[in-house]
Amino acid sequence: MIRLNNGFQLLFNLLWWMPVFYQYQKQAGLSDSQIFGIQSVYYVAFCLLEIPTGFLADRIGQRRCIQLGAAAMVAANLLPVASPSFAGFVAHFLAIAAARSLVSGASSAYLYEYLHEHDADAHYVQAEGTARALGLWAKIACWPLVGVLMHVRHEAPYVLTALSALGSLACAAALPAITAPRGGAHPPAGRVGLLDSARHAAKVLGTSRSLGPLMVQGVAVFTLARVCQVNLFQPLLLEKDLPVADHGAVLSAMTVAEAVGSARTGWLRSRLSDITVVSVLSVVMALTLAATTLSGGPGTILWLCVFAAAAGLAYPVQRNLINAAIPPTPYRATLLSVESIVDRGVCALVALAVGAYLEADRLDALLVHAAAGTCLLLLVVGVVLRRLRREPPEAIIRYRPRWRIAQVRMQIRTPVEGQVAADAHAPAHPRPPASECGWGRGRVK
């Protein structure tokens, strides 16, 4: 399953047209206002579709939702070939928004639930990081070829992307089913209406007292990475007098650093708890952006590569924290979609602030203020999480409804009773270290 997930993530996210889509649309006769207007429509559509597609994943199954997303991606990338016009590109990006929103929460939820079903939770972070790293390496290898391929055949970037999406659909079709999805005391998501599903998901969000703070902690990672790599990347390099011709090489170097970080998540996790890892890496990302204000061109490139490596290390660990904080529920994909909306909503607000700072020619002040705001946010979240972790289990159970009390009792009683019988026939084995026994990772085993 992990190999199929790696193949799916690599092929689904391999957008061959990414480096040339602006020029492609210009050659199709679109103006700058039309091109950037389409981008605005795409981001709005993505946010609006997140919650409905999360509900859909919980109702029909995460695996089927992944398959629908892959099929939508195939169709989306054939639209510019069939209709290279303004309407065709609007339909293209709307279909991509639908495809990505179908997959965004469902893929992570499916991977986590499947590994949990097979008692392989420890593999989740590495599986998430490896899939992300392979996708980044594929982009590094393929993107330099796009310009040449476009000269050979004009629509080649979109045709190759559609073929890659077709390969991701084959991987999604081969994914094994989850035979025993965890639902706890909740009714199955497919047996309730949309409003009832929203109500049950909201109850789950309120039940897990650490889920909200962890989502806020993840906002720092996602927002910093998005704003740096999309909104501030070129303005920052131009501020350092780096020629536009070198920007592609800098982006490739950052992608390499991020891929290396994504594939090496266990390096920090063996030394620190997951919450500490995400907090430390978020601070590193913020401080490296602030450090570019004191550096020239070469120093800025170095700091950006450190920033990308920290983002690559942080992302899989942060995804594991969120999944581990979600209690047993059939609404996992919906809750992950809520997190995605929070991230993108904050990004939209930050983008407005970025525009105001750049309009006033205050880029250095923006970077320093972003670093200070990130550190302050993480300090508040750290205090809240520390207080939650210090509360005894009895205090946490006291705040939970009756169905959760019964569920916690069953989770405590059943493994112990089963273990007594199992230990009578099992060979002696050393006791696991304290770092693997629960509270350090934010959950009780």
Side-chain angles (χ1 to χ4, degrees):
M1 189 280 294
I2 290 177
R3 293 190 186 97
L4 287 171
N5 179 70
N6 291 342
F8 171 80
Q9 294 292 345
L10 188 156
L11 295 169
F12 183 83
N13 294 297
L14 185 55
L15 306 179
W16 288 77
W17 47 261
M18 182 67 74
V20 296
F21 80 94
Y22 176 80
Q23 184 64 23
Y24 193 97
Q25 293 181 42
K26 291 288 285 185
Q27 293 177 1
L30 275 66
S31 64
D32 285 339
S33 61
Q34 289 177 318
I35 293 172
F36 289 105
I38 292 172
Q39 295 298 302
S40 299
V41 170
Y42 166 76
Y43 284 116
V44 172
F46 195 98
C47 286
L48 293 178
L49 290 170
E50 272 292 316
I51 287 293
T53 52
F55 283 131
L56 182 64
D58 289 328
R59 291 176 69 86
I60 69 173
Q62 298 144 5
R63 187 170 64 107
R64 291 181 181 176
C65 199
I66 293 170
Q67 294 165 358
L68 284 176
M73 185 63 82
V74 175
N77 287 285
L78 293 176
L79 288 171
V81 179
S83 177
S85 61
F86 177 76
F89 283 109
V90 169
H92 163 68
F93 275 100
L94 287 176
I96 288 180
R100 295 185 70 86
S101 60
L102 282 166
V103 169
S104 63
S107 62
S108 182
Y110 169 82
L111 178 63
Y112 188 87
E113 291 283 4
Y114 187 90
L115 292 177
H116 180 84
E117 182 187 33
H118 292 80
D119 297 322
D121 304 71
H123 294 285
Y124 173 78
V125 175
Q126 189 60 50
E128 192 84 70
T130 301
R132 184 175 176 82
L134 289 174
L136 292 169
W137 284 114
K139 293 174 182 177
I140 295 168
C142 295
W143 279 354
L145 306 174
V146 175
V148 177
L149 293 171
M150 191 174 174
H151 282 294
V152 175
R153 189 158 183 92
H154 185 66
E155 63 273 12
Y158 289 94
V159 174
L160 288 172
T161 305
L163 291 174
S164 297
L166 188 62
S168 72
L169 178 58
C171 292
L175 288 173
I178 298 175
T179 57
R182 297 183 298 163
H186 291 287
R191 297 181 184 177
V192 297
L194 187 63
L195 293 179
D196 288 334
S197 296
R199 181 168 54 85
H200 285 300
K203 284 184 179 180
V204 175
L205 183 60
T207 299
S208 179
R209 302 179 65 210
S210 62
L211 183 56
L214 288 175
M215 284 185 175
V216 176
Q217 184 192 46
V219 165
V221 175
F222 186 88
T223 304
L224 286 173
R226 187 74 181 176
V227 169
C228 175
Q229 296 173 351
V230 176
N231 301 101
L232 289 179
F233 176 71
Q234 284 197 307
L236 181 58
L237 296 184
L238 291 173
E239 178 78 11
K240 304 301 180 181
D241 296 324
L242 290 170
V244 176
D246 295 338
H247 290 189
V250 176
L251 184 59
S252 296
M254 291 177 63
T255 308
V256 171
E258 186 177 354
V260 172
S262 295
R264 297 291 184 271
T265 54
W267 180 63
L268 282 176
R269 295 186 74 229
S270 62
R271 297 166 174 80
L272 302 171
S273 68
D274 285 359
I275 293 176
T276 305
V277 167
V278 175
S279 297
V280 168
L281 291 174
S282 300
V283 171
V284 169
M285 292 168 66
L287 294 181
T288 50
L289 281 183
T292 60
T293 61
L294 305 175
S295 306
T300 297
I301 295 173
L302 176 62
W303 287 123
L304 288 177
C305 289
V306 174
F307 176 94
L313 283 165
Y315 181 79
V317 181
Q318 190 269 334
R319 299 304 296 169
N320 181 64
L321 273 175
I322 294 295
N323 272 297
I326 298 175
T329 173
Y331 305 101
R332 180 175 297 275
T334 301
L335 291 167
L336 291 176
S337 295
V338 170
E339 185 213 7
S340 182
I341 288 179
V342 172
D343 290 339
R344 284 164 176 80
V346 173
C347 282
L349 296 175
V350 172
L352 294 176
V354 169
Y357 273 94
L358 293 179
E359 187 71 22
D361 197 20
R362 300 183 61 201
L363 178 58
D364 288 352
L366 168 64
L367 298 175
V368 173
H369 292 167
T374 300
C375 293
L376 180 61
L377 174 68
L378 292 171
L379 178 62
V380 173
V381 172
V383 171
V384 172
L385 290 174
R386 185 176 293 274
R387 291 188 63 181
L388 290 176
R389 288 162 60 189
R390 283 180 176 175
E391 291 188 15
E394 293 80 5
I396 297 175
I397 294 174
R398 196 165 54 242
Y399 290 106
R400 294 180 174 178
R402 291 182 178 179
W403 66 267
R404 282 296 293 166
I405 296 175
Q407 185 180 8
V408 170
R409 287 173 178 166
M410 287 299 296
Q411 290 174 346
I412 294 173
R413 184 185 303 119
T414 304
V416 172
E417 292 173 352
Q419 191 64 36
V420 171
D423 288 345
H425 304 284
H429 56 275
R431 185 172 182 174
S435 61
E436 297 181 4
C437 291
W439 286 109
R441 295 290 169 84
R443 61 187 185 275
V444 179
K445 291 184 179 177

